[in-house]
Amino acid sequence: MAKFKIGDRVVVKNMTSIFHTRTQEFVRDQPGIIVDTRPDWVVPEDEAFDRLEIGRTEPFYVVSFKQTDLWPRYTGFDIDTLETECAEGWLRALQKDD
C-alpha cells in the first residue's frame, strides 16, 4: 500500500548508494511534491542485478521540484519545475522544520 498520495510534500533522503539507483544526487535533501503515482515495481538497486522475479518491490512516485530549490543560481522562471520518479524508500514526509 502506498505511503504517499498526490499533493503530499516530501523530501528525498540522502542515502548512501553503493549500487545502481535512479535517484539523482541533485534531488537528495530537496523538498518536492508528489504529482503522480506509479504501481509497485522492483527497486532499481535489485533491478540492476536482474532480480525482477525475486527483487524487493515498492511504490514509485513522480515528484516535482522547483528548479530554484535544486539550483540556487538558477536564472529561469520561479515557476519552472523538474519531475522525476522516486521509489518510496527514498522519500520521507516533509517536516515543518525542513
Side-chain angles (χ1 to χ4, degrees):
M1 177 172 224
K3 181 178 179 180
F4 302 107
K5 64 186 183 315
I6 294 173
D8 284 352
R9 295 183 51 79
V10 295
V11 173
V12 178
K13 297 175 185 176
N14 189 10
M15 301 189 302
T16 302
S17 56
I18 298 171
F19 305 108
H20 170 75
T21 178
R22 284 191 216 145
T23 307
Q24 302 94 342
E25 287 195 29
F26 62 85
V27 299
R28 297 179 192 184
D29 281 333
Q30 298 299 321
I33 298 173
I34 305 291
V35 295
D36 204 356
T37 58
R38 299 286 189 254
D40 288 11
W41 187 250
V42 177
V43 297
E45 293 85 353
D46 287 356
E47 185 179 15
F49 291 97
D50 200 25
R51 294 180 177 166
L52 295 177
E53 301 296 324
I54 60 169
R56 299 165 291 161
T57 61
E58 58 188 33
F60 280 72
Y61 304 88
V62 178
V63 183
S64 178
F65 301 89
K66 287 181 62 178
Q67 291 203 43
T68 53
D69 288 341
L70 298 176
W71 297 286
R73 296 186 308 200
Y74 181 72
T75 59
F77 296 103
D78 287 343
I79 61 169
D80 290 349
T81 59
L82 176 139
E83 293 181 357
T84 189
E85 285 187 357
C86 294
E88 187 172 89
W90 279 90
L91 301 174
R92 66 174 175 81
L94 181 75
Q95 303 298 314
K96 291 181 184 180
D97 58 345
D98 283 326

